[in-house]
């Protein structure tokens, strides 16, 4: 996702957005996104949209590098066994 403008029409092109739990994370070269609080798990589409609105354009600083979040991955959440 690169723009908030497409959020309302995206499910028409990607219907799985409405039927799966989702993961939202920045699609940028950021190490340790999860440890830095930049991964949200188990969201429905409304929750994913809320996170995207909150994070889009947000300026962050990690390991002395500053930048704005502007590109995100929204994908179905997968379950893994702890073997």
């Amino acid at each position: 996702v690169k723009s908030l403008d497409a959020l309302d029409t995206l499910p028409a092109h990607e219907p799985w957005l409405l039927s799966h739990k989702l993961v939202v994370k920045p699609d940028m070269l950021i190490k340790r996104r999860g440890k830095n609080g930049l991964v949200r798990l188990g969201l429905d589409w409304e929750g994913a949209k809320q996170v995207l609105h909150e994070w889009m354009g947000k300026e962050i600083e990690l390991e002395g590098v500053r930048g704005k979040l502007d590109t995100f991955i929204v994908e179905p959440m997968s379950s893994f066994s702890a073997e």
Side-chain angles (χ1 to χ4, degrees):
V1 176
K2 293 184 180 188
S3 169
L4 297 176
D5 296 336
L7 293 183
D8 290 331
T9 59
L10 199 54
H13 302 286
E14 305 291 346
W16 55 266
L17 290 168
L18 301 175
S19 61
H20 288 81
K21 292 293 184 185
L22 304 170
V23 176
V24 176
K25 57 190 171 185
D27 185 19
M28 304 169 76
L29 296 175
I30 299 173
K31 294 180 182 178
R32 297 178 286 283
R33 288 181 283 208
K35 288 186 179 186
N36 286 301
L38 295 174
V39 176
R40 297 287 167 88
L41 304 169
L43 302 171
D44 61 11
W45 178 236
E46 289 303 314
K49 289 193 316 185
Q50 182 177 353
V51 170
L52 291 166
H53 278 282
E54 178 185 329
W55 285 355
M56 184 68 75
K58 181 179 180 180
E59 189 166 306
I60 62 167
E61 182 173 345
L62 296 173
E63 299 179 7
V65 177
R66 292 187 84 126
K68 283 190 178 182
L69 299 175
D70 62 5
T71 307
F72 297 88
I73 296 170
V74 178
E75 59 190 2
M77 190 168 141
S78 299
S79 297
F80 296 96
S81 63
E83 289 183 29

